[in-house]
Amino acid sequence: MADEMKIGAYICNGCGLGDRLDAGQLETTATRDGKAQICQQHDFLCSEAGVKMIQDDIDNEGVNRVVIAACSRRAKTDAFNFDNVSIHRANLREGVIWVRPDTDDMQETTQEMADDYIRMACAEAKYSKIPEKSGEQGINKNILIVGGGVAGMKAALEASKAGYPCTIVEKSGALGGATAQLYKKIPTKAPYTDPEDNGVDEMIAAVEADSNITVHLNSTTTKIAGAPGRFAADISAESGSTKTKDFGAIVQASGFTPYDANKLPEFAYGKNKDVVTQMELEALAKEANGGAIKRPSDGKEVSSVLFIQCAGQRSKKEGHLEHCSGYCCSASIKQAMYFKDQNPAIDTTVLYTDMRTPGAGGENFYRSGQQKGVIFTKGIASEVVDGASPTVKFKDLILDEDIDLEVDMVVLATGMVPNSGQPTRSELTDQENEDKESEKAGEEVEIRVDVESILNLDYRQGKDVPHMANGFADSHFICFPYETQRTGIYTAGPTRRPMDSYQAMEDAVGAAMRAISEAENAGLGRAAHPRVGDLSFPTFRKEGCTQCKRCTVECPFGAINEDEKGYPIYNESRCRRCGTCMGACPVRVISFENYSVDTVGQQIKAVDIPDEFDEKPRFLVLACENDAYPALDMAAQNRLEYSAFTRIVPVRCLGSTSLSWITDSLNSGFDGIILMGCPSGDNYQCHFVKGSLMAQERMSKVGDTLESLNLEKERVQTFEISITDIHRVPQIINEMAETIEQIGMSPFKF
Amino acid sequence: MSDMNTGMVEKYRNNFLKEVEANVEEGEWVKMCMQCGVCSGSCPLGPHWDHPPQELFMMIRAGKRDEVLESTSMWMCTSCYNCIVRCPRELPITHIMHGLAHYATRLGIEPKNQPTRKFSQLFWDNLAKNGRVNELKLGISLYFMNGFVEGIKTALGMAGIGMGMVKTKRMNPMEILGGHTVKDKKGFQAMIKKAQELEAARVDN
Amino acid sequence: MSDIVATNQTILVVGGGISGMTAALEAAEVGKQVILIEKRPFVGGRVSQLYKYFPKLCFPTCGLEINQRRMNANKNITVLTMSEVTDLQGEAGNYTATVKISPRYVNANCTACGACADAVEAEFENEFNYNMDKHKGAYLPYNMAQPQRYVIDPRMIGTDDAQKAKDACKFDAIDLDMQEETVELKAGAVVWATGWRPYDANKIQPYGYDRIDNVITSVEFERMMDPFGPTGGKLVRPSDGKEAKNVAFIQCAGSRDVNHLRHCSRICCMASLKQSTYVSEKFGDEADVSIYYIDIRAIDRFDDFYQRVQDDPNVKFIKSKVASIVENKENGNPVLNGVDTEGYNRYANEHDLVVLAIGMEPSVDKDTFPIELKVNDEGYIEQDEANGGVFAAGCSSDALDVNRAVQSATASALRAIQVVNRVAQAEG
């Protein structure tokens, strides 16, 4: 439905704007250049009266594009909050008067800055449509939970309690996962002194009694297609039958596989039967069931046992795990207590380099272990010598001595390897990528790795959630632990990060919350983190598409599939609305209703470029709205000054930068272009994963174009900005101004 | 009492920690140490200990029986209680140190020439006779603790203080003939004897 | 204030730090009515006072910007700053909270233009910077404070400066007669996210925090690094303003200690490792960092960061709990006394600056909760059915790092939603 566009421009005179700027001139600019049909001024636009003035125009005059020429889009959002219209902010306060000195000789350029921002806001208004949800999916309250361990069960129980039906798909023949194998578990509540019952049976009973939870045992998901709100999962049983069910969101709690201790021959594992892993000790403890634990080799009751911590972990050696698994210190204390509780005379020693028992409960448990007589020795084991009884050779770091200790049993505290499935294409090695590229285009691409997929996502970019460091399917973010690179799929438990079963259950409750939230919001067409609530979504002009597949490949979230002919299929609810696809498209056929090549491009074209004799250059700054734009606002808040010739356009992500914006600005006569985005690299900050990186790659190609046009490369520069770079952002702009002064104005001015 | 020593070695064969827990005052606290070293760092006589308290605890746990019991370290403890106040695990370190020293003595393997050990013995012998410390005799035995020549030298050196004490009635030269006793001397000595019996019985368990 | 809508289907979130904000957002974004109560004049809590997070060495305001944007855009959340819950009665599905709202003396007209601050001269101790510097009597708590509204320090009320501030405001935003208000709010469930406070370092007598200038706490050190902090981002000593290149970190200051906090505060090992990178970043090869520890608790994926710091040749690790600190009166250098337990080496080490990795305790004393709650000995709120519809989130539940606090808050939001969904069902 084409809505008849009516632009209302509202100019605020408060906060010094009326003193520093000629509001009359701004009105003329808005109506004459910006084509605003209505234009009004107010001395205090964010006041109740000012807001009412705008609302009246919306209600009675049919204004549906509201241009607010006042403070930054980040300020007064509660006041300037109007339904069913699109709002465009000309940042005259933080963007103009706060960064320019209040002197007579600066008045002219300050006014020019303000006039341009009004033109830009009106241009943006003109080319924006009010986004409406796609209607691709409704609200589907069913949650799919992959993995039936305690994390999966907990997610199901809590989601069900909130009114959301769940389906658990469990690969093995029973629920309970790794925790079911534990004789007892680390205590979860005060006074934290003794091992607790593992609680799995009660949990399984609760799951089975809950009519809102369906369980599929001996099953896996052989295919998951669709998107949040309309995931279609094929659940296949070992017996061969397959059911397809629809879900709103997915929780992946696929747990972990214990590290293969056969990789530790130095500890005589495999050779000496009395060298066991922590999981194997749990089995022995279960067998003993409160009685004496017996050696596997000869059935003798264990009278002395030594635990080697960090076995095959925290190590850069080949075949070892680099990470720490977090729970094994407490687990060894617990297991030492199995022995001590049964017979205090049993010698138990824990050999560690750092005892990791954090938090309120942790230290109590450590003290309780000591109370029961468990000995803690700081030392490093170099070898376990095979024999009738194993002998541990270690260096005691406190006494600075080498010691050989013969014990009845050695327990290796080995670590967790997450069951996170297959790596995505971007994680493959160069060789694997090469192998793939030599395959015919358009063919079904199989990623040749010998790991089974957990989810079997029918996504072009890979069957599982991308891995972060050490193979864990985590989100990479500290503040947003659940936001993986796959919208609507939330990992929980050791799949995401090494943890004990209590933390895994808590984690699962959080993942369930996210899944519920996404199921609800996807149904309403609303985007997920970070552009929460955004109704816009990408569409493309099929006639112009060349099937180059750049959008499908570059999408950080795997939101785009391909049809048989190679045209992209956009899955709106998988999309985070970053616009990376839009920036990638060489023929510019992709756009969002309120964010397109035009909404930015026309802003650029709306800027009034003085001719070369006026000696007033123009600098374009494309600033990512997440970090760079706030930094610019805060620089203004601190009254740090930058060049009057700056024109800033906020973008959703630097990855959405279309090369046409660069060429358009250069052609229009802009002298310099600065791109500001979030830090990339291993510790990337970009909420959309690799925006800055992609912008830099694209800009490197621009370098060649610039040379062929006889333009200096320095005219286009890309910077990685943190939100705290408050002093740096004005510096960057001012340095560009200096550079342009040196190399001269752009020859493309008229 | 080297018979007792042999007996203990046999009984606790390779488990010195258990031996300490059973026989040393507050010995059951040794396992609670987390090797932080605050006690060692806080001790004002620290530099004079071969092995500071924290290291002793680790040595006990590692089974280094002879090294610990024959060590002069715990004899250096002056009961300042700095360690107990700061210990994050609340170990009664001062008491354990004295406990170790005492146990070593009972086993007969204490370091014979350690000065505070010698002084302790002298003090005890002096006190146990009459239930009161005979300061004159104690002073004299202390001076002569390391031999006759040493004794004369020290006594002459301390003469000034001694005279001062006599003048201010802090010390009575007549004590050389016997000194004060408690009211019920016989009862006192019976009490000491009984306590020693009880202690021996406890240990022999 | 009379226009706040609060019913038995409302979720009350007590505490507007990162945990409270997360819980509020999760609930509001599935359509629940949420009221967020925050004691300070701004949301963001203690993370807004950090310079960087571990292990990514990224900036807290990055995540806060997103969360604050989500909050501003969500009409389901009502934020009450300057507010505290003084009483809480009821049970799951039916709570009544009494909330005391202290006067900010600035109303919603404020545009954060800063005219009042320019007009005022009086200065007061700045709690945001742990009293290491002062702010003006009319001030914005920090650059990104939300709500973006100035505050008048109550200590300025009744003075001439207060009037100057009022006169400078063109929007009639300053109301010097604002009074404390008390409101009663109904709620179905309560998320308790009151966070933590640093343990009082004055109580650790041997470390001389109260007597030696160059002994500071980790939270104070963190503020120093902020370019908008009390030293403008310079790493200098309090006594003489000299650069502090030789820095000692003392772990477990007040934690794992029956004389102070019995628990392990979890974050301090990682915090010191992170802060050692600050020193290295500032001074390169001239940095000389010593970390005195009992156990380095860089747990699970954080261990990578520990390994990275271990590779830094300018950082030493000494397994020792420092016994005492004295001051070298000639140069103000703190001298650390102790024993390196790995092999028994006594030391009396002089440093430019000593940072106590101070422990974390719950910010609400366990006897002062406005409602009876099951709390463990350390003061942390337990997960217990007896707590009814009150759910702990973040550091009120355990000593947690930011990632786990957000995890906890997300989970608590679901628990609160379960309660109000039951109410909704019952009420038809």
Side-chain angles (χ1 to χ4, degrees), chain A residues 14-15 19 43-44 46 74-77 81 83 93-94 98 154 157-159 161-164 189-190 192 314-316 322-326 352-361 363-364 366-367 378 397-400 468-470 472 474 476-482 496-499 502-503 506-507 509-510 512-514 516-517 520-521 526 529-530 532 625-627 630 634 637-639 683-685 687 722-724 726-727, chain C residues 18 22 26-27 29-30 51 53-67 69-70 72-75 108-114 118 140 142-144 146 148-149 170-171 227-228 256-258 262-266 293-304 306-308 310-311 319 341-344 376-378 380 382-384 398-399 401-404 406-408 410-415 417-418 421-422:
Chain A
C15 292
D19 300 325
D43 282 340
F44 183 11
C46 56
R74 292 169 65 252
K76 288 291 174 182
T77 49
N81 195 335
D83 292 328
R93 187 181 73 166
E94 286 90 328
W98 278 5
K154 186 74 168 171
L157 288 168
E158 298 296 334
K161 257 206 254 181
Y164 294 81
K189 53 161 83 77
Y192 299 101
R314 298 179 66 194
S315 154
K316 292 204 163 83
E322 265 189 59
H323 57 269
C324 149
S325 294
Y352 70 94
T353 50
D354 293 285
M355 274 312 290
R356 295 180 164 177
T357 55
E363 206 61 25
N364 275 8
Y366 184 12
R367 278 188 286 255
K378 179 161 179 172
L397 291 169
I398 301 287
L399 300 176
D400 197 20
M468 295 296 127
N470 308 127
F472 288 92
D474 195 2
H476 183 75
F477 296 118
I478 294 173
C479 314
F480 308 104
Y482 297 106
R496 176 170 97 70
R497 185 182 174 145
M499 54 177 86
Y502 177 67
Q503 198 193 338
E506 273 304 285
D507 203 27
V509 181
M513 175 74 244
R514 294 298 306 133
I516 287 171
S517 177
E520 291 282 342
N521 283 298
R526 305 174 63 204
H529 169 92
V532 177
E625 67 182 6
N626 291 321
D627 283 359
M634 287 192 274
Q637 227 173 291
N638 285 286
R639 308 297 191 275
N683 276 335
Y684 68 85
Q685 274 305 92
H687 293 278
S722 296
I723 196 172
T724 54
I726 296 173
H727 289 110
Chain C
I18 196 158
T22 299
E26 292 295 337
E29 285 169 1
V30 289
Y51 173 50
Y53 282 150
F54 57 75
K56 285 172 65 185
L57 301 180
C58 54
F59 300 97
T61 36
C62 173
L64 282 177
E65 167 76 10
I66 301 287
N67 280 339
R69 194 194 302 167
R70 283 159 79 190
N72 286 338
N74 196 317
K75 298 191 178 153
N109 286 347
C110 176
T111 63
C113 70
D118 289 338
L140 193 64
Y142 80 106
N143 277 328
M144 241 176 68
Q146 283 284 337
Q148 202 178 23
R149 203 182 291 181
K170 298 208 174 88
F171 304 110
F228 288 89
R256 299 182 69 182
D257 193 332
V258 301
R262 295 177 64 97
H263 58 270
C264 158
S265 298
R266 190 193 300 271
Y293 71 97
I294 306 175
D295 295 285
I296 294 287
R297 294 181 163 179
I299 298 174
D300 67 60
R301 302 251 310 277
F302 291 149
D303 200 63
D304 298 348
Y306 177 32
Q307 289 174 30
R308 174 187 142 169
Q310 278 178 307
D311 288 340
K319 180 166 163 62
T341 61
E342 282 179 318
Y344 184 31
N376 66 23
D377 284 336
E378 318 305 317
Y380 293 107
E382 297 260 287
Q383 250 182 55
D384 196 303
D398 193 8
D401 56 271
V402 176
N403 196 284
R404 284 192 63 166
V406 174
Q407 184 190 327
S408 152
T410 313
S412 70
L414 182 53
R415 297 195 165 100
I417 289 171
Q418 288 166 354
N421 277 1
R422 274 203 306 272

Side-chain angles (χ1 to χ4, degrees), chain A residues 29-179:
Chain A
T29 307
T31 47
R32 181 197 65 198
D33 300 342
K35 304 290 188 260
Q37 285 103 319
I38 292 185
C39 185
Q40 298 207 60
Q41 289 183 35
H42 198 282
D43 282 340
F44 183 11
L45 194 59
C46 56
S47 66
E48 265 185 59
V51 168
K52 183 167 184 310
M53 177 180 88
I54 302 174
Q55 187 66 54
D56 281 346
D57 280 354
I58 294 172
D59 294 337
N60 306 328
E61 303 293 334
V63 165
N64 49 27
R65 305 282 190 277
V66 177
V67 170
I68 297 184
C71 45
S72 162
R73 58 182 16 206
R74 292 169 65 252
K76 288 291 174 182
T77 49
D78 44 340
F80 300 129
N81 195 335
F82 307 101
D83 292 328
N84 302 318
V85 298
S86 69
I87 302 175
H88 308 271
R89 306 282 296 258
N91 189 350
L92 303 187
R93 187 181 73 166
E94 286 90 328
V96 178
I97 63 170
W98 278 5
V99 295
R100 296 304 305 150
D102 185 10
T103 55
D104 286 336
D105 55 336
M106 293 298 163
Q107 217 280 318
E108 192 182 298
T109 48
T110 305
Q111 182 72 29
E112 284 170 6
M113 228 177 163
D115 280 322
D116 267 340
Y117 276 126
I118 293 210
R119 291 184 192 107
M120 288 157 76
C122 292
E124 190 191 48
K126 200 154 142 224
Y127 286 87
S128 295
K129 290 213 264 300
I130 300 166
E132 281 177 15
K133 64 175 188 179
S134 73
E136 255 174 57
Q137 58 274 323
I139 297 182
N140 182 331
K141 288 188 164 191
N142 291 288
I143 312 286
L144 170 64
I145 299 177
V146 177
V150 292
M153 287 198 285
K154 186 74 168 171
L157 288 168
E158 298 296 334
S160 160
K161 257 206 254 181
Y164 294 81
C166 296
T167 300
I168 299 179
V169 175
E170 164 57 40
K171 191 167 75 169
S172 76
L175 294 172
T179 313

Side-chain angles (χ1 to χ4, degrees), chain B residues 34-43 45-52 54-55 84-90, chain C residues 205-207 255-259 262 293-295 319-324 337-344 346:
Chain B
M34 60 171 167
Q35 296 297 302
C36 76
V38 152
C39 53
S40 313
S42 301
C43 177
L45 264 77
H48 301 283
W49 294 48
D50 278 344
H51 305 288
Q54 153 260 324
E55 199 185 357
I84 287 191
V85 162
R86 295 182 185 169
C87 175
R89 284 273 203 261
E90 226 170 24
Chain C
Q205 199 277 343
Y207 288 164
S255 305
R256 299 182 69 182
D257 193 332
V258 301
N259 302 309
R262 295 177 64 97
Y293 71 97
I294 306 175
D295 295 285
K319 180 166 163 62
S320 167
K321 185 171 166 74
V322 173
S324 66
N337 293 308
V339 163
D340 179 352
T341 61
E342 282 179 318
Y344 184 31
R346 304 197 81 83

Side-chain angles (χ1 to χ4, degrees), chain A residues 575-590:
Chain A
C575 171
R576 303 284 179 92
R577 301 10 184 217
C578 62
T580 296
C581 50
M582 181 174 98
C585 179
V587 287
R588 307 192 294 281
V589 298
I590 305 174

Side-chain angles (χ1 to χ4, degrees), chain A residues 582-615:
Chain A
M582 181 174 98
C585 179
V587 287
R588 307 192 294 281
V589 298
I590 305 174
S591 65
F592 295 75
E593 284 162 305
N594 59 2
Y595 184 62
S596 61
V597 171
D598 272 336
T599 60
V600 172
Q602 294 296 334
Q603 284 189 60
I604 294 171
K605 292 185 185 147
V607 171
D608 176 49
I609 310 276
D611 65 39
E612 55 196 310
F613 302 111
D614 276 345
E615 294 197 16

Side-chain angles (χ1 to χ4, degrees), chain C residues 169-349:
Chain C
C169 180
K170 298 208 174 88
F171 304 110
D172 210 11
I174 296 186
D175 176 6
L176 297 175
D177 300 316
M178 210 186 264
Q179 295 296 320
E180 182 185 291
E181 261 186 76
T182 302
V183 294
E184 275 201 0
L185 298 171
K186 293 206 73 59
V190 179
V191 172
W192 197 270
T194 47
W196 61 282
R197 63 179 175 219
Y199 184 68
D200 182 4
N202 288 303
K203 293 188 182 163
I204 311 174
Q205 199 277 343
Y207 288 164
Y209 174 73
D210 54 343
R211 337 178 265 287
I212 306 174
D213 283 335
N214 295 325
V215 174
I216 63 175
T217 60
S218 48
V219 291
E220 292 169 338
F221 187 74
E222 195 74 22
R223 290 313 303 141
M224 269 213 295
M225 294 306 301
D226 187 337
F228 288 89
T231 62
K234 292 212 246 317
L235 215 178
V236 294
R237 328 182 322 150
S239 69
D240 53 13
K242 260 177 42 190
E243 285 186 329
K245 297 183 183 168
N246 180 333
V247 182
F249 292 89
I250 300 185
Q251 300 313 111
C252 306
S255 305
R256 299 182 69 182
D257 193 332
V258 301
N259 302 309
H260 301 285
L261 301 174
R262 295 177 64 97
H263 58 270
C264 158
S265 298
R266 190 193 300 271
I267 56 166
C268 353
C269 277
M270 280 302 290
S272 291
L273 292 172
K274 168 189 70 165
Q275 293 182 331
S276 76
T277 66
Y278 296 168
V279 185
S280 292
E281 188 188 35
K282 274 265 192 265
F283 302 122
D285 280 332
E286 289 182 40
D288 187 0
V289 175
S290 306
I291 300 183
Y292 295 86
Y293 71 97
I294 306 175
D295 295 285
I296 294 287
R297 294 181 163 179
I299 298 174
D300 67 60
R301 302 251 310 277
F302 291 149
D303 200 63
D304 298 348
F305 192 71
Y306 177 32
Q307 289 174 30
R308 174 187 142 169
V309 176
Q310 278 178 307
D311 288 340
D312 183 341
N314 299 324
V315 181
K316 288 195 281 293
F317 289 88
I318 302 163
K319 180 166 163 62
S320 167
K321 185 171 166 74
V322 173
S324 66
I325 305 180
V326 293
E327 191 181 25
N328 178 336
K329 294 274 190 248
E330 280 171 34
N331 52 23
N333 287 353
V335 181
L336 270 54
N337 293 308
V339 163
D340 179 352
T341 61
E342 282 179 318
Y344 184 31
N345 296 307
R346 304 197 81 83
Y347 59 81
N349 291 340

